[in-house]
Amino acid sequence: MSDPARAAAGASPDEPLPGDSYGRALPLGLHHVFGVMNALGTLWILALMVLMNVDVFGRNLLDTPVRGVTEMVSLSIVGIVFLQLADTLRVGRFTRADVLLGRLRRDHPAWADALQALFHAVGFALLVVILLASWEPLVQSVAIREFVGAVGDFQAPVWPVRLVTLIGLCATALCFALLAGMDLQRLLRRRRDSR
């Protein structure tokens, strides 16, 4: 949700909006799991920054670059994105247009809940399709020992990043499903209270 919408609702940037599923605790403490995945992605970014700086230092001052930095960065970007995807969704930081949703939330909150539930259900379905399509490349990557780099210089296996991608997809699909359930519960509660 955008900051003006949070300000209008009187909510701080870290506080969930009333009538919104984002930022709330998830069953089984999964919000903590998603937060840890996000933190691991951040640590991975810091490790990459150190690696790139050591490479620049070694290349320019010692004339000895670190081998495989380009390959490690290209592999890592994918892993980092998927590690942080579930928590990004959970806190409501996915990019989207809130103009219609904000107006519906003000004038017709039940419709806003239904639209949110539909959005999260479609997101879940899309992530499941991507997840199913990602399984075979992981299996093949392990079977053929796929790697990046050059033989005799630097080689890094690809399967660990594919596995991280699969884990991130599972977590994000689960987050979409849980948010859709929370939206539907809120919709049913509104209808029950309006009777």
Side-chain angles (χ1 to χ4, degrees):
M1 181 60 65
S2 62
D3 290 333
R6 288 187 179 281
S12 72
D14 298 327
E15 182 183 344
L17 277 171
D20 201 344
S21 298
Y22 299 123
R24 301 191 185 280
L26 297 176
L28 305 173
L30 286 172
H31 54 286
H32 294 302
V33 174
F34 298 157
V36 167
M37 290 172 64
N38 190 3
L40 288 174
T42 302
L43 290 174
W44 197 345
I45 291 169
L46 290 174
L48 279 183
M49 289 172 56
V50 169
L51 181 65
M52 287 187 284
N53 281 305
V54 168
D55 180 50
V56 169
F57 178 78
R59 186 179 302 270
N60 292 326
L61 297 179
L62 305 174
D63 201 27
T64 55
V66 178
R67 301 206 180 277
V69 171
T70 306
E71 291 85 355
M72 294 302 290
V73 169
S74 65
L75 278 177
S76 294
I77 289 171
V78 176
I80 290 166
V81 166
F82 282 96
L83 262 181
Q84 296 184 323
L85 204 58
D87 198 56
T88 303
L89 172 63
R90 185 191 72 79
V91 297
R93 297 289 185 201
F94 263 33
T95 302
R96 63 183 188 159
D98 284 331
V99 176
L100 174 63
L101 193 59
R103 173 162 262 174
L104 281 176
R105 190 173 280 122
R106 242 186 352 263
D107 300 337
H108 305 284
W111 290 6
D113 292 338
L115 185 61
Q116 282 278 82
L118 176 64
F119 168 75
H120 291 133
V122 169
F124 170 75
L126 178 64
L127 265 288
V128 168
V129 168
I130 297 171
L131 182 62
L132 293 174
S134 299
W135 177 253
E136 186 63 31
L138 171 64
V139 171
Q140 285 185 349
S141 181
V142 172
I144 66 171
R145 297 180 181 170
E146 183 182 7
F147 66 89
V148 294
V151 176
D153 181 30
F154 173 82
Q155 292 175 273
V158 174
W159 73 263
V161 174
R162 290 194 189 277
L163 179 61
V164 167
T165 301
L166 213 62
I167 292 168
L169 284 167
C170 287
T172 309
L174 181 59
C175 190
F176 266 121
L178 292 171
L179 290 174
M182 292 166 73
D183 295 331
L184 287 174
Q185 284 177 347
R186 194 171 52 253
L187 175 62
L188 293 174
R189 197 166 44 245
R190 278 188 209 280
R191 290 197 172 173
R192 191 173 55 243
D193 293 345
S194 66
R195 288 178 185 168

